[in-house]
Amino acid sequence: MPIGKLFTLIGIALALIGLVLTYLPGLFAWFGKLPGDIRIEDGKKFIFIPITSMIVISLLLTLLANLFFRK
């Protein structure tokens, strides 16, 4: 796939993600609140380690990459 078409597809995908996040924010309200995501709050300090959420993203991206870039 030529690099120009790849950048065009990536741009369209990012625009669609942006529209979904702008107009349907409740659709991803669960993200970052999964079991296994670590939240530490102490006074003014706040630490968030999204372990489970990053595993979910990794699995989805792996699935998409295998579907689109399989030869």
Side-chain angles (χ1 to χ4, degrees), residues 13-47:
L14 287 174
L16 289 174
I17 291 170
L19 287 171
V20 168
L21 291 175
T22 300
Y23 294 109
L24 299 171
L27 189 62
F28 294 104
W30 57 270
F31 190 74
K33 298 176 185 172
L34 296 172
D37 290 342
I38 299 171
R39 306 181 113 212
I40 300 171
E41 297 180 36
D42 181 33
K44 295 182 181 180
K45 299 177 191 174
F46 178 75
I47 299 172

Side-chain angles (χ1 to χ4, degrees), residues 5-21 28 61 64 68-69:
K5 286 185 180 181
L6 180 64
F7 282 146
T8 303
L9 288 175
I10 291 171
I12 290 170
L14 287 174
L16 289 174
I17 291 170
L19 287 171
V20 168
L21 291 175
F28 294 104
L61 289 176
L64 287 173
F68 288 112
F69 298 112

